Amino acid sequence: MLSRLASPRTGGLLALAIVIALLPLALANKYFYDIAVLVGLNAIVCVGLNLLIGYAGQISLGHAGFFGLGAYGSAILASRYGWPPLAAMLTTTLAVAALAYLVGRPILRLKGHYLAMATLGMGIIVYMVITTEDRFTGGPDGIAVVPFSIGGFVLQGERIWYWVVGVLLLAAVWLALNLIESPTGRALRALHSSEVGAEVVGINAAEHKLLVFVISAVFASVAGSLAAHYSGFVTPGKVAFLHSIELVTMVVFGGMASIFGAVVGAAALTTLPQLLTVFEDYEMMVFGAVMMGTMIFLPRGVVPSMARLFQTRRNASSDDRAGSA
Amino acid sequence: MKSTQATTSIKRGFAAIAATLALFSASAVAQEPIKIGAFLSVTGGAAFLGDPEQKTLELYVAKVNAAGGVLGRKLQLVAYDSAGDAEKARTFTKRLIEQDKVDVIVGGSTTGETMAVVPLVEAAQIPFISLAGAVVIIEPVKKWVFKTPHTDRMACEKIFIDMQSRKFSKVAMISGPGGFDKSMHGQCLGVAKKYGIEVVADETYGGGDTDMTAQLTKIKNTAGVQAVLNAGFGQGPAIVTKNYRQIGITMPLYQSHGVASKEFIKLAGAAAEGVRLPAAALLVADALPASDPQRSVVVNYRNEYESHFKSEVSTFGGHAYDGLMIVVEAMKKAGGTDKAKVRDAIEATHGFMGTAGVFNMSATDHMGLDLSAFRMLEVKGGNWTLVK
């Protein structure tokens, strides 16, 4: 029983559920709820992106593109053409999945810097299309989005969104945890260590990489659709290259190949700019210092480095006991 | 004996504490500051807007306080850097409303940021003066949203009126890829007909382009073009101007208010001679005749800003000045910070002379500027001159 709780699939998920359930006690007003919702939405993207970067070892500098396509797809279908938001979101998600599949097939053959370049290029193309096609997207000034509604029920207000995003984040984490503990997950980790080695033991590397690329794109697209409905407004800033970098930074900061690391990274990087406003003009400097400090002292990311530290301490103390006995 | 002494001293102590508390709370009521909330793009791509805006707000909040504040209360500026990001703008606005509980919001350097927070301020019923350009902010009218900068549509109209007076009716447009360029391009096409102007050629260039000869050659070879209008921002218009002269086009060239700074003349050099553009009076403060009612306002603001920050004044900071001063006047008129009353007072702003022009707001016009806010300028001898 205890050993089952200690495994991330039950213990970690339970811990996350408790945090989500208890957090509202500390949220004094709508502003704090707003931050929590943004953390949740970013965390969903990062959990997906982490499958790609952390587990499969493939970089993507274009995920803001998928996020943005999700956001704009929902915005355009629901607000301009009056589709029901849920149908708009599902259609958009399917379209993004298909696009990720088509784009992923050729570019995932590339490795390292070349893959980074290709995904970067993809993101920039999406950005350019969105800023130029202003008849549909509103151009650089953005587009207003209707609130999310299912049937006659309209999702509005930070508190309702908090629970919706909380449940979706739990679902995303649960899906990701199950995926990496499945044969597919093991295959992904194998091809992360050595693609050639993985192919030798019969893993179809190309197919697995493509699968995880599509999954991460779907996570980003869904989060994008929700973010658009939640904010009520989308601008191309969410599709820009800088946002892609921000997402990758969240994953690296929290810890690669750690699902909960992605959540922690998203939480840290979303709340830090809010906390650092006290430094006024020095805000960005302090932000940079925090990032550098974390990478120097916790090089594997916050969660894995902490876990390791904890592990070695525990091992050391059990060694002591063994020695004295 | 001793004990009574002790009790009296304790009593005295209590009395002293009570007195201080009373004094403190009394002064707290009297001096509870009026909170002005702001979210501005101080860093990032739109920093050229947010930076002078923030500096201006800081400078003039300090000046208003030095002069005794508003209604006996000091102003307190709560400003956040939204870095041109609509999402951040939204979060900071929530923070201003929910956490800081500000009395009024002046901010929103870009149209995207402004439009992203409009639903919030409308729901929270708090007066909001935007510092962004586009017409969509005030059309349709939103109850709690106002703005101080002139719109790009007004720039188009000013240019077209000038073209009309020079008997031009066939015009070519060339525009860039940015938000400003695109918005102005759309607005110009929209109002062209009203002034009997026909746009016979419509070219665009990219963000990083360093040569626009191809587009200009196409315009040159279009039959019947009488003048060219460049809706652009940043470096593009300077390159257009240079190429324009290089390929020997002699038709009049119009630029937008987006390049109304000395920088443009420096970049375009001799090619800028004869270029016309609409601009706020602030840029030609010294060229204004002494009889101009706007002269004292713009000269004062420019002198204050430039002596304080040792950098050249821009119209963007001027918009923040206008916004803050309209709010201060409205609060004086409303006799307090009651949000609904302040909103009504802002809407009733009449004859207020700002750096952008005379503001006459109404229930149907939440900007209140007319075309007189723009002056038509022409580059002569490497400097701006007023077109009579």
Side-chain angles (χ1 to χ4, degrees), chain A residues 153-298:
Chain A
F153 182 70
V154 182
L155 268 186
Q156 237 170 352
E158 292 77 2
R159 285 184 177 81
I160 297 174
W161 272 97
Y162 175 82
W163 295 113
V164 171
V165 171
V167 169
L168 283 174
L169 175 60
L170 269 182
V173 169
W174 178 76
L175 273 174
L177 286 171
N178 274 294
L179 183 80
I180 53 164
E181 301 227 338
S182 69
T184 308
R186 284 190 287 279
L188 289 178
R189 276 177 284 178
L191 72 89
H192 186 185
S193 331
S194 162
E195 214 172 307
V196 176
E199 296 227 319
V200 167
V201 294
I203 292 166
N204 187 341
E207 199 170 280
H208 278 99
K209 284 197 283 188
L210 191 57
L211 174 75
V212 80
F213 187 70
V214 172
I215 291 177
S216 66
V218 164
F219 274 41
S221 170
V222 170
S225 291
L226 291 172
H229 284 295
Y230 171 68
S231 310
F233 206 83
V234 216
T235 56
K238 288 282 115 178
V239 197
F241 170 58
L242 217 61
H243 188 222
S244 287
I245 297 294
E246 233 171 64
L247 293 171
V248 174
T249 315
M250 286 176 188
V251 170
V252 175
F253 184 89
M256 285 198 275
S258 159
I259 302 284
F260 295 103
V263 177
V264 169
L269 288 187
T270 313
T271 46
L272 261 184
Q274 296 291 327
L275 297 174
L276 296 181
T277 49
V278 289
F279 295 105
E280 289 181 4
D281 291 350
Y282 302 100
E283 197 183 320
M284 291 319 275
M285 271 169 66
V286 178
F287 185 75
V290 171
M291 300 293 293
M292 267 167 62
T294 317
M295 284 299 106
I296 291 169
F297 296 107
L298 304 168

Side-chain angles (χ1 to χ4, degrees), chain B residues 365-378:
Chain B
D365 183 2
H366 276 191
M367 171 180 64
L369 292 168
D370 62 17
L371 286 186
S372 69
F374 271 125
R375 313 292 165 116
M376 187 51 78
L377 307 183
E378 187 172 319

Side-chain angles (χ1 to χ4, degrees), chain A residues 29 31 34 38 158 274, chain B residues 87 90 94-95 99 115:
Chain A
N29 57 38
Y31 158 62
D34 182 59
L38 295 181
E158 292 77 2
Q274 296 291 327
Chain B
E87 194 66 47
R90 230 176 42 78
K94 267 191 194 166
R95 188 169 179 172
Q99 185 77 356
M115 292 309 287

